[in-house]
Amino acid sequence: MAFLVGAGGAVLFVVVFLLDGLTRPGYSPTRQTVSALALGPRGWIQTANFLVCGASMAAGGSAVVLAGQYLLGALLAVFGLGLVVSGVFRMDPMRGYPPGTPDADPAAFSRQHQLHDHAGAVVFFSLPVTAVVGAFVLPGLMWKVATVAAVIILVLALNAFSRDWEADAPRTGLAQRAFIVPGCLWIAGVFLHFAST
């Protein structure tokens, strides 16, 4: 059951932020990050998305540990917990969102924003490591090929997102989504694999 909860959380996380981002007034999914959705009047939607889906993936990771894949499961749980902490601590308003916010970064970031950044670092660096571990421990040639492909996509997307974030590039949000979407779909596939074995 926990595997299905984890898979559902991984898919739902993507569905919610994609739909919310496409329908949020004044929000640009191309430029702005997923975390910016936690700001403004509808911010509770993304906050709940972080908390519920992150906890679901952490539960799925714990089930993978109990199934005997200790390192893979622990890393999946860490990823999920990183999302939970990202929901507890929001980023600061910046870069034009919410509407009316100055277009640049604030002169100084709040403690809450700094903690959000630390949680984000856990999320973005744990996932490629998790996929590398998965390439070694998941059985069968198809899983290994798919997971190696996931590693390549994640590393390239993380590099693009890091570069775009630092430059406040107009496609920062797109680069971030190029990381999160395939990463979460890979996680969902891993949980479904364990659910079927």
Side-chain angles (χ1 to χ4, degrees):
M1 181 64 178
F3 297 130
L4 296 179
V5 168
V11 173
L12 184 62
F13 183 72
V14 170
V15 170
V16 169
F17 78 67
L18 288 178
L19 289 178
D20 193 24
L22 288 172
T23 60
R24 182 79 67 94
Y27 177 86
S28 169
T30 303
R31 179 191 179 195
Q32 282 144 350
T33 63
V34 170
S35 292
L37 288 168
L39 304 170
R42 276 171 51 176
W44 66 270
I45 296 173
Q46 181 54 35
T47 296
N49 196 28
F50 276 132
L51 298 175
V52 173
C53 295
S56 298
M57 286 184 262
S62 299
V64 173
V65 170
L66 294 175
Q69 287 295 344
Y70 304 112
L71 182 56
L72 179 63
L75 288 168
L76 289 165
V78 165
F79 176 82
L81 292 174
L83 291 178
V84 171
V85 177
S86 295
V88 173
F89 302 105
R90 294 183 309 172
M91 69 180 289
D92 292 338
M94 57 191 295
R95 301 185 179 182
Y97 193 82
T101 302
D103 206 45
D105 292 350
F109 291 113
S110 68
R111 181 66 176 150
Q112 177 173 265
H113 181 100
Q114 292 171 11
L115 292 170
H116 180 87
D117 276 355
H118 294 322
V122 170
V123 167
F124 286 103
F125 290 105
S126 68
L127 188 49
V129 173
T130 306
V132 168
V133 171
F136 285 98
V137 303
L138 292 170
L141 180 61
M142 288 301 294
W143 261 113
K144 293 192 183 303
V145 170
T147 303
V148 168
V151 171
I152 294 168
I153 291 168
L154 290 170
V155 169
L156 292 174
L158 179 57
N159 180 62
F161 171 57
S162 299
R163 184 181 62 246
D164 288 352
W165 172 260
E166 290 303 318
D168 188 15
R171 297 197 175 209
T172 300
L174 194 61
Q176 187 193 46
R177 284 159 174 78
F179 177 92
I180 297 174
V181 172
C184 282
L185 294 180
W186 177 80
I187 287 173
V190 170
F191 287 141
L192 290 174
H193 163 74
F194 279 94
S196 67
T197 55

